[in-house]
Amino acid sequence: MTYRADDGRYERQPYNRSGRSGLKLPAVSLGLWHNFGDTRPIENSRAILRRAFDLGVTHFDLANNYGVPYGSAEQNFGRILREDFIPYRDELIISTKAGYDMWPGPYGEWGSRKYVLASLDQSLRRMGLEYVDIFYSHRPDPETPLEETMGALDRAVRSGKALYAGISNYSAEQTAQAARIMRELGTPLLIHQPSYSMINRWIEDGLLDAVEEAGMGCIVFSPLAQGLLTDRYLDGVPADSRAATSRFLSADRIDLDLARGLNEIARGRGQTLAQMALSWTLRDPRVTSVLIGASSVRQLEDNVACVDGPDFTEDELGTIDKITERYTAR
């Protein structure tokens, strides 16, 4: 069936300006890390993407090595884009990244000009695109001069293969240095993408200040701490859960008291624990957008509904801080 987007899609959530740029992003964006590779049915991916756009999610975030096997998320997204979203291309923000391992040998990861620009070309071919809206350096390279990596991002924008440049997983000091280099090159950094959640608050110790000072936006990933901040583990660790099956999360990280304590606050707010965790990341105006993953349309709908939650009271924020204090990574 031919896809036609919902006419009311721009009435579903707010759009926030990314730093001092002209670009606005939806409060909730969709990341395609886990659930869009060849190990998942493409029709499920199609249904999630369609529903996301109908709910006002205009930003789809990828990276070169997303999906199993590497590159399959971009390839599958490219197919769905051609079949469903071509009429809406100018309404979409599509991002990808280069930095982690992608192909064998010394030129297949990190931040050299050789790798970064070759990876962008490969990503564009997989997705069937002439350009991406945002192209990121996925992580800093300790052995490549920052000037070289930033120069590659500048080249990506000047060549027309990316509209904006961003960085991910950079420290506060590295962010300030990268922003200075890019300003001097004439291609200011648009945005930073770090991890952030109620139990992972490292960006509060300088990074958010550095982002604000540089005029950049901030889009956060892993806001649910790989599922720890959901109702998935309120009664233990299910056999089919990520904690039981994934290398990214282990069962020994699950703390029932933490989840149950936070869940009580969420219930009092009329939210699920996941919705509250997402709302919490957006409470700081320096956070432009929060990236969610989704394995089903229902999960997507539940998470996007976080934008309908009430503002946090000082008492709620204080209680959250108290509950998460001994778990919080800084």
Side-chain angles (χ1 to χ4, degrees), residues 121-142:
D121 284 341
Q122 291 181 19
S123 291
L124 292 175
R125 286 196 296 269
R126 279 190 291 269
M127 291 187 282
L129 291 172
E130 295 181 356
Y131 70 93
V132 290
D133 297 276
I134 307 171
F135 182 50
Y136 290 90
S137 168
H138 206 166
R139 61 172 171 172
D141 183 343

Side-chain angles (χ1 to χ4, degrees), residues 86-100:
I86 285 299
Y88 307 102
R89 173 62 183 99
D90 290 338
E91 299 181 44
L92 297 177
I93 301 298
I94 300 170
S95 61
T96 195
K97 315 177 194 73
Y100 285 93

Side-chain angles (χ1 to χ4, degrees), residues 3 30-53 60 73 76-77 79-80 83-85 242 293-301:
Y3 170 64
L30 181 63
L32 277 63
W33 178 20
H34 283 297
N35 300 304
F36 294 84
D38 287 350
T39 58
R40 302 298 177 97
I42 194 164
E43 290 309 314
N44 187 61
S45 300
R46 187 191 308 277
I48 292 170
L49 288 166
R50 285 181 171 187
R51 184 59 178 147
F53 191 52
F60 299 139
N76 291 331
F77 174 76
R79 173 182 165 183
I80 296 169
E83 295 173 353
D84 288 0
F85 289 100
R242 184 173 295 177
S295 58
S296 67
V297 169
R298 179 178 178 181
Q299 184 183 42
L300 171 82
E301 292 172 339

Side-chain angles (χ1 to χ4, degrees), residues 94-329:
I94 300 170
S95 61
T96 195
K97 315 177 194 73
Y100 285 93
D101 63 299
M102 183 60 193
W103 62 85
Y107 318 121
E109 64 176 324
W110 292 108
S112 71
R113 184 181 182 90
K114 167 75 171 176
Y115 164 70
V116 170
L117 294 179
S119 179
L120 175 57
D121 284 341
Q122 291 181 19
S123 291
L124 292 175
R125 286 196 296 269
R126 279 190 291 269
M127 291 187 282
L129 291 172
E130 295 181 356
Y131 70 93
V132 290
D133 297 276
I134 307 171
F135 182 50
Y136 290 90
S137 168
H138 206 166
R139 61 172 171 172
D141 183 343
E143 297 182 351
T144 297
L146 191 57
E147 287 81 1
E148 179 174 341
T149 304
M150 294 302 104
L153 292 183
D154 174 66
R155 176 58 183 166
V157 172
R158 291 184 184 277
S159 69
K161 295 178 181 180
L163 299 186
Y164 299 94
I167 55 176
S168 180
N169 298 305
Y170 279 56
S171 69
E173 181 180 1
Q174 292 165 334
T175 296
Q177 292 173 346
R180 175 185 56 79
I181 293 168
M182 292 296 278
R183 280 197 305 270
E184 292 173 354
L185 290 170
T187 304
L189 287 171
L190 172 79
I191 199 162
H192 190 297
Q193 186 178 136
S195 61
Y196 186 47
S197 73
M198 287 191 286
I199 57 174
N200 176 23
R201 302 193 187 184
W202 72 278
I203 71 172
E204 295 176 3
D205 292 337
L207 180 60
L208 283 173
D209 291 336
V211 165
E212 183 178 30
E213 176 66 23
M216 299 164 61
C218 181
I219 180 170
V220 299
F221 70 90
S222 292
L224 303 180
Q226 300 293 314
L228 292 177
L229 299 175
T230 72
D231 59 8
R232 184 73 162 141
Y233 302 106
L234 293 177
D235 298 313
V237 182
D240 62 345
S241 67
R242 184 173 295 177
T245 61
S246 172
R247 66 187 177 93
F248 296 104
L249 178 65
S250 59
D252 60 7
R253 287 189 59 199
I254 305 301
D255 188 290
L256 298 182
D257 289 338
L258 170 71
R260 289 168 180 168
L262 293 173
N263 190 55
E264 285 301 310
I265 302 173
R267 289 177 58 186
R269 290 170 47 82
Q271 292 183 299
T272 65
L273 175 53
Q275 288 167 348
M276 183 180 76
L278 295 169
S279 296
W280 183 90
T281 65
L282 291 166
R283 80 198 187 287
D284 191 315
R286 294 172 294 183
V287 175
T288 310
S289 183
V290 58
L291 273 169
I292 63 169
S295 58
S296 67
V297 169
R298 179 178 178 181
Q299 184 183 42
L300 171 82
E301 292 172 339
D302 287 346
N303 287 346
V304 171
C306 73
V307 299
D308 298 323
D311 292 339
F312 285 91
T313 67
E314 290 300 321
D315 285 346
E316 287 171 338
L317 292 173
T319 304
I320 289 170
D321 287 347
K322 185 175 297 185
I323 292 173
T324 60
E325 183 176 14
R326 69 187 180 95
Y327 306 92
T328 300

Side-chain angles (χ1 to χ4, degrees), residues 15-37:
Y15 295 84
N16 303 320
R17 190 171 302 281
S18 183
R20 292 195 292 267
S21 77
L23 185 68
K24 291 184 176 182
L25 296 179
V28 178
S29 298
L30 181 63
L32 277 63
W33 178 20
H34 283 297
N35 300 304
F36 294 84

